[in-house]
Amino acid sequence: MSTTSIGLIGIVVLVALFIIRMPIAFAMAAVGFVGFSLVTSFKTGLAVLPRDIFEQLTSYSISAIPMFILMGYYAFSAGLGTRLYDAAYKILGHVRGGLAIASIFACAAFGAICGSATATAATMGKLAIPAMKKYGYDDTLSTGVIASAGTLGILIPPSVIFLIYGFMTEQSVGKLFISGIVPGIVLAICMSMAVYLMCLKNPGLGPKGEKSSFKVKFKAAVAVLDVLGLFVVVIGGLLLGFFTPTQAGGVGAAGAVLVGLLRRELTWKAFIHNTLEAVRTSVMILTIIACATVFGKFMTVARIPFVVSDWVASLSVPHFVTMGVIIGIYLLGGCFIDAIPLIILTIPILFPIVLSLGYDPIWFGVIIVLVTCMGVITPPVGVNVYVIKGIAREVPLETIFKGIFPFLLAIIVTAVILMFFPMLATLLPSLVE
Amino acid sequence: FSAPIELKWSNYFPVPAMQSKICEQFIRDIEAKTQGKVKFSYFPAGTLLSATKIYDGVAQGIADIGFSNISYTLGRFKQTETLDLPLGFPNAWVANHVANDFYKKFKPKEWDKVHVIAMHTSPVNVIMTASKPVAKMSDLKGMTIRGQGYIGEVVGALGAVPRAIATPETYDAVLKKVIDGIYIPMETLRAFRFGEVTKHITECWPIGQVYTFYLVMNKDTWNKLPADVQKVFNEYPFEDKLAVTWNDIDIDGKQLGMEKKINFIQLSPVEAQKWIKAADTVVEKYVKNMVSQGYKESEVRGWIKYARERIDYWLKKQREAKIKSSTGPDDVRIK
Amino acid sequence: MQAFEKFSRALARYFEWVGAAGMLIMFVVNLVDVFGAKVFRQPLPGALEVLGFALLVTIAPAIAHGLFLGTHLSIDFILDKFPRWLRAVINPLIFLACLILFVLICWQSYVYGGSLYRAGEMGSSSKIPFFPFAYILSISCIPAILYFAVQIMKCFKAEK
Ligand code: NA
Ligand code: NA
């Protein structure tokens, strides 16, 4: 049997294991291990298993994820999230789905400091989901909106995906970063419209509140100055390059503890409880990431991404069809493989094709990131959905995936808009030199 | 006629980088010379094994061939780490030849688990800064400079604060001013796009420090290769090609820096002596450390002495061959 | 049987406390590093590696308690539609697969730790050796193995 067919069978087996309720993480590690052993040897498969898990679990860049989760939990237990959303409710509550829309823009703001879709969803989810629940929002909407809006973290700079794409294709990382800003705003608007339309059709999803007077709004805004202060320190610190993401998460967590102590809202018991909760959520996410690496190595050694890319290169169809096929591949691939290895393995072969078809490399970078945004929320391997599930444990996975759907459409609409108006991505970068 | 022997080649450099291109060239050449008896699967950009795991991964058979450097695995190649010290390597061409001489002379037992195809080295590290120029050693005080292993030790000895950051993440760190600069060869101006984020380069080749690289093969894989295939590997000029490539890409990087109007700074002779003195503390620290681990001091000093002798020898050879480099004394350096 | 389950659960909980300690170490080391770097221009040497090691200490020991709490994700809405007898066949097989996986990770991390010990590899700026952390990963698998053993026993007990 050829290595490629072992790889394809591996994908089928993985999906089958998901269906019969093997935990996602362990299914990926198991299939990855067996597959790697079949392609190479049992001895080599055994060597890969501890090494990949060990490497992921000792990686500094990944340590940003638990730090932001910790920040989220501390901020939550210090009552920051509740007050923030009380204020948002007083200011935007009279709009249908107003809190969900506020959350999208909060994710966008957070995305401006954080390069990862996962961390954005984790932090915002911890704050936003309980608050939306309090105001009677439906679980489908509240979890779906955060899982999806979290993807703004990789579209709005800084962004891990743009960084990797820049290195792979020799494009200016600075220009790529800038190119994500306008599409990021467009996507945030499209998502907000999705919320509004959903709530128009089914008002029970995000109930309308009473309209508050200006005085009440102003008072509510003043009450959250400390939250804004913390946000400004974390956001500003990262934007000005004062902190790495891990550092920013740690500073944010410390700030939240400090505010909680000053306002006497944080007890010792709550501190310990929330530390443990942060550990549990981090464990769930990082176990998946570590085990996904083992599966990714199997796909790599089975040469699946190479085979697919070679096939595209051999197509002879009109340009836009080829582009459609390429986007389709990333969409499909994003369902099973983590975005980063997928890009690293396919870009070398697909990028020259894209260039030869006459597409702009910066524009294609934005498209890749948009498609990656879809990948992190589509089943069965949709990391952001799992992150949200880790935070809102009582909500069934099915409900979250259902909640994703309108926002998936919003991402597709954004991609179509970019197809017709490529300058939305390319104009800003062309202005800087 | 039998099925070709399949070999997995692992490298951590991104695809467009010259270090990746030369691996591809080796692959094409070996495949042609063995007339299809050997077929490679090439895994660039750390897709099969990351930089830190390449040696161990090759020893375990996860990949058959690996290309990485020893600073990622501090402590594993204790004797070879001599070559990572600031011994005054003038440039890549000289350093590459010295590294191979060193390996062949001492055959350090730390390489016993693999078959060494060739040793090689990066070009000489220079100090690239974004915030302010560094003309004197005292300018480095309080600056945070990226460097790991012995490269980081030298950063510390020169008075700056070393910071270990993975190379691909360094661009962002400089851009966001998380660090003030990088202690790295000029070829990265293009390969890792550092030319976009740095403004000044201090060419501190008088302390001449390089990253020591290796190209190794899994031992079982090597032993199982037919004699004629082994012969192709043995006769192929890996060492010379690597020396030329490392030398050329650093020249290319420097020329890119010139186009980008980067401010190049040479150390004055007085200042160079200060730097050498500071860098020597790292060499002494290495000796002390090795002695504390049971090596004889005379033996360790012997390795250092040998490396320095070979530096002089190959610099003379370079002058004879009229080969130009990005760094080094006036007569061999491009300006 | 019940005593065995109680013991496994308690062990997993103790391991989770190690994880919580790891999280607080990350938190503190991170803060010392930031304040050192930004206020005193003197970051904590090797902080990045210490954070990486602390990450492993946070995650690995706490994996098993997550199993008892049911926080590890699986897709349950499809299997729920399967007939009862089929689920009774599938469940022990899944637990067995997970048990084998964790036995392999436990064993191989131990072997890997030994190889890191012999190689003498350490963090390039912190000078902290790698091998103890591979051993921590290995030991962390033990409560997880016990969890799956308990679940398999429960499956057979339920059938009787
Ligand atoms: Na971002
Ligand atoms: Na997906």
mmCIF file of all heavy atoms in Angstrom, chain B residues 134-165:
data_model
loop_
_atom_site.group_PDB
_atom_site.id
_atom_site.type_symbol
_atom_site.label_atom_id
_atom_site.label_comp_id
_atom_site.label_asym_id
_atom_site.label_seq_id
_atom_site.Cartn_x
_atom_site.Cartn_y
_atom_site.Cartn_z
ATOM 1 N N VAL B 134 25.434 50.916 17.352
ATOM 2 C CA VAL B 134 26.392 50.450 18.351
ATOM 3 C C VAL B 134 27.792 50.593 17.761
ATOM 4 O O VAL B 134 28.182 49.823 16.897
ATOM 5 C CB VAL B 134 26.123 48.981 18.727
ATOM 6 C CG1 VAL B 134 27.216 48.448 19.639
ATOM 7 C CG2 VAL B 134 24.766 48.837 19.390
ATOM 8 N N ALA B 135 28.527 51.620 18.187
ATOM 9 C CA ALA B 135 29.888 51.814 17.702
ATOM 10 C C ALA B 135 30.879 51.368 18.761
ATOM 11 O O ALA B 135 31.986 50.949 18.455
ATOM 12 C CB ALA B 135 30.112 53.286 17.339
ATOM 13 N N LYS B 136 30.480 51.490 20.006
ATOM 14 C CA LYS B 136 31.344 51.116 21.125
ATOM 15 C C LYS B 136 30.650 50.049 21.970
ATOM 16 O O LYS B 136 29.425 49.947 21.962
ATOM 17 C CB LYS B 136 31.618 52.355 22.010
ATOM 18 C CG LYS B 136 32.318 53.475 21.280
ATOM 19 C CD LYS B 136 32.843 54.536 22.229
ATOM 20 C CE LYS B 136 31.783 55.223 23.057
ATOM 21 N NZ LYS B 136 30.878 56.117 22.312
ATOM 22 N N MET B 137 31.477 49.309 22.706
ATOM 23 C CA MET B 137 30.923 48.261 23.540
ATOM 24 C C MET B 137 29.969 48.853 24.575
ATOM 25 O O MET B 137 28.930 48.269 24.894
ATOM 26 C CB MET B 137 32.041 47.504 24.244
ATOM 27 C CG MET B 137 31.724 46.055 24.492
ATOM 28 S SD MET B 137 33.203 45.177 24.992
ATOM 29 C CE MET B 137 33.154 45.399 26.742
ATOM 30 N N SER B 138 30.286 50.044 25.054
ATOM 31 C CA SER B 138 29.458 50.649 26.100
ATOM 32 C C SER B 138 28.054 50.984 25.585
ATOM 33 O O SER B 138 27.113 51.091 26.371
ATOM 34 C CB SER B 138 30.144 51.899 26.645
ATOM 35 O OG SER B 138 30.465 52.764 25.569
ATOM 36 N N ASP B 139 27.917 51.133 24.243
ATOM 37 C CA ASP B 139 26.583 51.402 23.693
ATOM 38 C C ASP B 139 25.615 50.255 23.957
ATOM 39 O O ASP B 139 24.400 50.429 23.940
ATOM 40 C CB ASP B 139 26.660 51.631 22.175
ATOM 41 C CG ASP B 139 27.423 52.898 21.822
ATOM 42 O OD1 ASP B 139 27.427 53.823 22.662
ATOM 43 O OD2 ASP B 139 28.008 52.952 20.730
ATOM 44 N N LEU B 140 26.158 49.045 24.149
ATOM 45 C CA LEU B 140 25.304 47.858 24.295
ATOM 46 C C LEU B 140 24.662 47.765 25.675
ATOM 47 O O LEU B 140 23.730 46.994 25.874
ATOM 48 C CB LEU B 140 26.120 46.592 24.041
ATOM 49 C CG LEU B 140 26.367 46.246 22.576
ATOM 50 C CD1 LEU B 140 27.437 45.182 22.465
ATOM 51 C CD2 LEU B 140 25.086 45.778 21.910
ATOM 52 N N LYS B 141 25.185 48.566 26.603
ATOM 53 C CA LYS B 141 24.681 48.464 27.974
ATOM 54 C C LYS B 141 23.168 48.718 28.012
ATOM 55 O O LYS B 141 22.672 49.691 27.462
ATOM 56 C CB LYS B 141 25.408 49.471 28.867
ATOM 57 C CG LYS B 141 25.218 49.159 30.327
ATOM 58 C CD LYS B 141 26.508 49.408 31.126
ATOM 59 C CE LYS B 141 26.424 48.749 32.483
ATOM 60 N NZ LYS B 141 26.544 47.295 32.415
ATOM 61 N N GLY B 142 22.448 47.795 28.631
ATOM 62 C CA GLY B 142 21.003 47.968 28.779
ATOM 63 C C GLY B 142 20.196 47.545 27.570
ATOM 64 O O GLY B 142 18.979 47.569 27.601
ATOM 65 N N MET B 143 20.861 47.183 26.454
ATOM 66 C CA MET B 143 20.101 46.744 25.282
ATOM 67 C C MET B 143 19.794 45.246 25.396
ATOM 68 O O MET B 143 20.574 44.489 25.941
ATOM 69 C CB MET B 143 20.895 47.006 23.994
ATOM 70 C CG MET B 143 21.044 48.474 23.656
ATOM 71 S SD MET B 143 22.084 48.709 22.207
ATOM 72 C CE MET B 143 20.847 48.895 20.930
ATOM 73 N N THR B 144 18.627 44.848 24.874
ATOM 74 C CA THR B 144 18.271 43.436 24.844
ATOM 75 C C THR B 144 18.524 42.909 23.436
ATOM 76 O O THR B 144 17.979 43.420 22.471
ATOM 77 C CB THR B 144 16.788 43.242 25.202
ATOM 78 O OG1 THR B 144 16.540 43.905 26.430
ATOM 79 C CG2 THR B 144 16.456 41.780 25.348
ATOM 80 N N ILE B 145 19.410 41.914 23.328
ATOM 81 C CA ILE B 145 19.815 41.409 22.020
ATOM 82 C C ILE B 145 19.518 39.919 21.949
ATOM 83 O O ILE B 145 19.825 39.167 22.870
ATOM 84 C CB ILE B 145 21.336 41.630 21.793
ATOM 85 C CG1 ILE B 145 21.722 43.097 22.009
ATOM 86 C CG2 ILE B 145 21.765 41.131 20.418
ATOM 87 C CD1 ILE B 145 21.316 44.040 20.919
ATOM 88 N N ARG B 146 18.937 39.503 20.817
ATOM 89 C CA ARG B 146 18.599 38.099 20.647
ATOM 90 C C ARG B 146 19.847 37.253 20.407
ATOM 91 O O ARG B 146 20.679 37.602 19.556
ATOM 92 C CB ARG B 146 17.626 37.949 19.481
ATOM 93 C CG ARG B 146 17.119 36.534 19.280
ATOM 94 C CD ARG B 146 17.859 35.853 18.177
ATOM 95 N NE ARG B 146 17.314 34.523 17.934
ATOM 96 C CZ ARG B 146 17.868 33.638 17.121
ATOM 97 N NH1 ARG B 146 18.970 33.928 16.489
ATOM 98 N NH2 ARG B 146 17.319 32.475 16.948
ATOM 99 N N GLY B 147 19.982 36.185 21.143
ATOM 100 C CA GLY B 147 21.088 35.258 20.956
ATOM 101 C C GLY B 147 20.901 34.104 21.918
ATOM 102 O O GLY B 147 20.408 34.299 23.025
ATOM 103 N N GLN B 148 21.256 32.895 21.484
ATOM 104 C CA GLN B 148 21.065 31.755 22.375
ATOM 105 C C GLN B 148 22.361 30.960 22.474
ATOM 106 O O GLN B 148 23.269 31.156 21.684
ATOM 107 C CB GLN B 148 19.925 30.869 21.860
ATOM 108 C CG GLN B 148 20.169 30.373 20.459
ATOM 109 C CD GLN B 148 18.912 29.827 19.810
ATOM 110 O OE1 GLN B 148 17.824 30.046 20.300
ATOM 111 N NE2 GLN B 148 19.089 29.120 18.720
ATOM 112 N N GLY B 149 22.456 30.065 23.429
ATOM 113 C CA GLY B 149 23.646 29.253 23.614
ATOM 114 C C GLY B 149 24.871 30.143 23.833
ATOM 115 O O GLY B 149 24.790 31.160 24.525
ATOM 116 N N TYR B 150 26.003 29.774 23.211
ATOM 117 C CA TYR B 150 27.221 30.560 23.401
ATOM 118 C C TYR B 150 27.116 31.912 22.736
ATOM 119 O O TYR B 150 27.834 32.849 23.083
ATOM 120 C CB TYR B 150 28.439 29.784 22.884
ATOM 121 C CG TYR B 150 28.814 28.712 23.858
ATOM 122 C CD1 TYR B 150 28.372 27.414 23.711
ATOM 123 C CD2 TYR B 150 29.556 29.038 24.994
ATOM 124 C CE1 TYR B 150 28.674 26.441 24.641
ATOM 125 C CE2 TYR B 150 29.861 28.079 25.944
ATOM 126 C CZ TYR B 150 29.422 26.780 25.758
ATOM 127 O OH TYR B 150 29.709 25.846 26.696
ATOM 128 N N ILE B 151 26.232 32.030 21.737
ATOM 129 C CA ILE B 151 26.021 33.315 21.081
ATOM 130 C C ILE B 151 25.413 34.279 22.104
ATOM 131 O O ILE B 151 25.799 35.443 22.203
ATOM 132 C CB ILE B 151 25.145 33.111 19.815
ATOM 133 C CG1 ILE B 151 25.998 32.546 18.683
ATOM 134 C CG2 ILE B 151 24.528 34.402 19.348
ATOM 135 C CD1 ILE B 151 26.355 31.110 18.734
ATOM 136 N N GLY B 152 24.486 33.770 22.906
ATOM 137 C CA GLY B 152 23.891 34.565 23.977
ATOM 138 C C GLY B 152 24.908 34.917 25.055
ATOM 139 O O GLY B 152 24.888 36.017 25.600
ATOM 140 N N GLU B 153 25.813 33.989 25.327
ATOM 141 C CA GLU B 153 26.857 34.244 26.329
ATOM 142 C C GLU B 153 27.699 35.458 25.920
ATOM 143 O O GLU B 153 28.048 36.289 26.748
ATOM 144 C CB GLU B 153 27.795 33.036 26.459
ATOM 145 C CG GLU B 153 27.124 31.772 26.952
ATOM 146 C CD GLU B 153 27.170 31.647 28.463
ATOM 147 O OE1 GLU B 153 28.018 32.318 29.077
ATOM 148 O OE2 GLU B 153 26.335 30.895 29.008
ATOM 149 N N VAL B 154 28.025 35.517 24.617
ATOM 150 C CA VAL B 154 28.844 36.630 24.144
ATOM 151 C C VAL B 154 28.060 37.935 24.262
ATOM 152 O O VAL B 154 28.602 38.965 24.683
ATOM 153 C CB VAL B 154 29.308 36.379 22.690
ATOM 154 C CG1 VAL B 154 29.942 37.637 22.100
ATOM 155 C CG2 VAL B 154 30.305 35.233 22.669
ATOM 156 N N VAL B 155 26.782 37.892 23.917
ATOM 157 C CA VAL B 155 25.926 39.075 24.065
ATOM 158 C C VAL B 155 26.028 39.581 25.508
ATOM 159 O O VAL B 155 26.204 40.780 25.749
ATOM 160 C CB VAL B 155 24.459 38.734 23.699
ATOM 161 C CG1 VAL B 155 23.526 39.853 24.140
ATOM 162 C CG2 VAL B 155 24.324 38.478 22.206
ATOM 163 N N GLY B 156 25.944 38.648 26.461
ATOM 164 C CA GLY B 156 26.030 39.021 27.864
ATOM 165 C C GLY B 156 27.405 39.578 28.223
ATOM 166 O O GLY B 156 27.513 40.594 28.906
ATOM 167 N N ALA B 157 28.455 38.938 27.699
ATOM 168 C CA ALA B 157 29.818 39.380 28.010
ATOM 169 C C ALA B 157 30.081 40.785 27.471
ATOM 170 O O ALA B 157 30.866 41.542 28.034
ATOM 171 C CB ALA B 157 30.828 38.401 27.439
ATOM 172 N N LEU B 158 29.390 41.142 26.368
ATOM 173 C CA LEU B 158 29.596 42.466 25.783
ATOM 174 C C LEU B 158 28.789 43.538 26.520
ATOM 175 O O LEU B 158 28.883 44.714 26.204
ATOM 176 C CB LEU B 158 29.186 42.455 24.300
ATOM 177 C CG LEU B 158 30.061 41.598 23.361
ATOM 178 C CD1 LEU B 158 29.439 41.525 21.984
ATOM 179 C CD2 LEU B 158 31.481 42.147 23.273
ATOM 180 N N GLY B 159 27.960 43.103 27.474
ATOM 181 C CA GLY B 159 27.251 44.078 28.307
ATOM 182 C C GLY B 159 25.770 44.204 28.008
ATOM 183 O O GLY B 159 25.058 44.936 28.693
ATOM 184 N N ALA B 160 25.262 43.495 26.965
ATOM 185 C CA ALA B 160 23.834 43.553 26.675
ATOM 186 C C ALA B 160 23.123 42.396 27.370
ATOM 187 O O ALA B 160 23.762 41.526 27.943
ATOM 188 C CB ALA B 160 23.596 43.487 25.168
ATOM 189 N N VAL B 161 21.785 42.403 27.313
ATOM 190 C CA VAL B 161 21.016 41.313 27.908
ATOM 191 C C VAL B 161 20.609 40.346 26.806
ATOM 192 O O VAL B 161 19.941 40.741 25.856
ATOM 193 C CB VAL B 161 19.750 41.854 28.603
ATOM 194 C CG1 VAL B 161 18.954 40.704 29.215
ATOM 195 C CG2 VAL B 161 20.119 42.869 29.658
ATOM 196 N N PRO B 162 21.052 39.083 26.880
ATOM 197 C CA PRO B 162 20.685 38.136 25.822
ATOM 198 C C PRO B 162 19.254 37.651 25.982
ATOM 199 O O PRO B 162 18.745 37.554 27.091
ATOM 200 C CB PRO B 162 21.669 36.986 26.024
ATOM 201 C CG PRO B 162 22.052 37.048 27.465
ATOM 202 C CD PRO B 162 21.908 38.472 27.907
ATOM 203 N N ARG B 163 18.623 37.367 24.860
ATOM 204 C CA ARG B 163 17.248 36.869 24.890
ATOM 205 C C ARG B 163 17.165 35.758 23.855
ATOM 206 O O ARG B 163 17.540 35.979 22.691
ATOM 207 C CB ARG B 163 16.318 38.018 24.504
ATOM 208 C CG ARG B 163 14.870 37.764 24.804
ATOM 209 C CD ARG B 163 14.563 38.122 26.241
ATOM 210 N NE ARG B 163 13.122 38.081 26.465
ATOM 211 C CZ ARG B 163 12.557 37.987 27.657
ATOM 212 N NH1 ARG B 163 13.306 37.909 28.724
ATOM 213 N NH2 ARG B 163 11.257 37.962 27.784
ATOM 214 N N ALA B 164 16.700 34.565 24.253
ATOM 215 C CA ALA B 164 16.567 33.462 23.305
ATOM 216 C C ALA B 164 15.175 33.515 22.678
ATOM 217 O O ALA B 164 14.189 33.403 23.370
ATOM 218 C CB ALA B 164 16.781 32.130 24.009
ATOM 219 N N ILE B 165 15.112 33.749 21.375
ATOM 220 C CA ILE B 165 13.834 33.764 20.658
ATOM 221 C C ILE B 165 14.038 32.948 19.389
ATOM 222 O O ILE B 165 15.088 33.043 18.764
ATOM 223 C CB ILE B 165 13.425 35.203 20.277
ATOM 224 C CG1 ILE B 165 13.313 36.075 21.528
ATOM 225 C CG2 ILE B 165 12.113 35.209 19.506
ATOM 226 C CD1 ILE B 165 12.986 37.517 21.238
#
